[in-house]
């Protein structure tokens, strides 16, 4: 059975409690880890969210999986992880993958562009 990327996105989001921009500051204050998965070109062009940890998408699972030898110190199965990309599409797919690893992961509705225009 062939599926479209929109089907994959819908499936991924059905397992996420996505974060509206209005709730982001409260989650960070409560200890959530904010992770920027955008490529360097977008970060250089558009800027960054202060306090966000930058992890390239191609190594995301290895850096955030607490059982990985290549994990970062900030990750934990008990810590909420909020991913963001530019507009909130690839971050939904990535968050769904992290949830399969047992992490409390989600993403930011609208991504960096939502933060930029808040």
């Amino acid at each position: 059975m062939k599926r479209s990327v929109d089907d994959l996105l819908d499936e991924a989001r059905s397992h996420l409690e996505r974060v509206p921009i209005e709730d982001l500051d409260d989650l960070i204050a409560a200890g959530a880890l904010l992770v920027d998965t955008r490529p360097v070109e977008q970060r250089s062009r558009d800027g960054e969210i202060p306090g966000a940890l930058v992890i390239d998408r191609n190594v995301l699972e290895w850096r955030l999986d607490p059982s990985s030898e290549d994990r970062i110190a900030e990750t934990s199965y008990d810590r909420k992880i909020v991913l963001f990309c530019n507009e909130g599409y690839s971050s939904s797919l990535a968050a769904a993958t992290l949830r399969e690893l047992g992490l409390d992961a989600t993403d930011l509705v609208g991504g960096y562009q939502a933060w930029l225009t808040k």
Side-chain angles (χ1 to χ4, degrees):
M1 177 175 124
K2 293 182 181 180
R3 294 174 40 167
S4 71
V5 70
D6 290 333
D7 293 335
L8 291 176
L9 187 61
D10 289 344
E11 172 68 19
R13 287 179 172 170
S14 74
H15 301 286
L16 302 176
E17 291 183 31
R18 301 185 74 217
V19 177
I21 192 65
E22 300 82 21
D23 296 346
L24 183 60
D25 290 341
D26 290 340
L27 283 173
I28 293 170
L33 180 63
L34 182 62
V35 178
D36 185 347
T37 63
R38 294 174 302 145
V40 66
E41 297 83 9
Q42 287 180 345
R43 294 192 313 270
S44 297
R45 181 190 68 214
D46 298 336
E48 299 184 11
I49 298 178
L53 183 63
V54 174
I55 302 177
D56 289 337
R57 177 63 191 97
N58 64 323
V59 296
L60 186 70
E61 290 83 358
W62 289 269
R63 298 299 181 263
L64 292 177
D65 180 357
S67 70
S68 170
E69 292 180 10
D70 298 311
R71 71 187 172 276
I72 58 169
E74 295 87 350
T75 195
S76 162
Y77 290 112
D78 300 325
R79 188 173 191 186
K80 179 170 274 311
I81 299 169
V82 180
L83 304 178
F84 69 94
C85 61
N86 193 48
E87 294 182 340
Y89 293 94
S90 66
S91 58
S92 292
L93 297 173
T97 301
L98 293 177
R99 292 187 64 77
E100 290 184 32
L101 294 174
L103 293 162
D104 184 9
T106 189
D107 76 323
L108 181 63
V109 175
Y112 181 79
Q113 294 303 314
W115 179 84
L116 194 60
T117 59
K118 74 172 186 168

